[in-house]
Amino acid sequence: SYDGPAELVAVSPDADAWEKMQQRLAEAPIIRDILGASHRVFESSGAAKAKERLEDIRGDAREAWETSQSPWVYRMSSVYDTLTAESEEAVATRELRRLDPEFSLEEFKEDVVEGVLPVVMGHLLQGNTKELKPWLSEAVYRRVGTEIR
């Protein structure tokens, strides 16, 4: 006969296998006991106070960096921003993938080269400015129209 805990664990039917496993483990009594014990050790060992102190030091350092008037800090910030900045293409691609998870930049480029580019170039070479209007922004359309005339 089984003498262990007899608790039931409710698991969301929409969760995938990993989420279900995580829910089961998080609610299992032995795991809760282990996590509770580790939290008590964390608190009693002074690690919680050390973590809090490090967070304070980090906050002070960040504030000093952000409010500094030093030209070296400005230079370093500029270098950091340049190295970590997202390109316009990366931002646009990320947004397209957010809207359409199936979006492929390579397929898009292929469609443009094979479908759109020949049409636009044909109108451009023939001087059909009115046919270009749906394909171009207003500013580009005006400039192309001026160049063709």
Side-chain angles (χ1 to χ4, degrees):
S1 132
Y2 179 73
D3 292 332
E7 296 180 25
L8 294 176
V9 176
V11 177
S12 170
D14 297 331
D16 65 19
W18 288 110
E19 290 170 336
K20 288 178 183 178
M21 179 61 75
Q22 181 183 15
Q23 287 175 348
R24 286 184 184 131
L25 288 174
E27 295 178 12
I30 190 165
I31 300 297
R32 280 190 283 173
D33 290 346
I34 291 170
L35 292 175
S38 66
H39 182 71
R40 286 189 298 276
V41 169
F42 177 76
E43 292 293 328
S44 66
S45 70
K49 289 181 183 177
K51 179 183 177 198
E52 185 179 316
R53 179 70 182 132
L54 287 172
E55 289 294 328
D56 289 343
I57 291 169
R58 187 177 131 234
D60 292 345
R62 178 180 292 271
E63 183 179 343
W65 177 266
E66 290 173 352
T67 59
S68 174
Q69 300 297 316
S70 168
W72 287 104
V73 170
Y74 285 124
R75 287 184 188 125
M76 292 299 293
S77 291
S78 177
V79 168
Y80 177 79
D81 290 344
T82 300
L83 292 174
T84 60
E86 245 185 331
S87 68
E88 290 180 17
E89 181 181 343
V91 171
T93 302
R94 182 171 34 84
E95 182 63 17
L96 286 168
R97 284 195 179 123
R98 185 186 67 77
L99 296 171
D100 178 10
E102 303 293 317
F103 175 76
S104 164
L105 186 58
E106 293 306 315
E107 285 180 25
F108 174 76
K109 287 178 183 178
E110 189 176 303
D111 290 345
V112 168
V113 169
E114 292 176 2
V116 177
L117 192 59
V119 172
V120 172
M121 287 303 294
H123 293 311
L124 187 62
L125 293 172
Q126 294 170 5
N128 299 335
T129 55
K130 289 182 182 175
E131 300 295 327
L132 289 171
K133 189 161 187 149
W135 297 98
L136 306 174
S137 69
E138 189 62 37
V140 173
Y141 176 73
R142 275 189 262 127
R143 179 150 183 183
V144 167
T146 303
E147 295 293 328
I148 288 177
R149 287 186 203 122

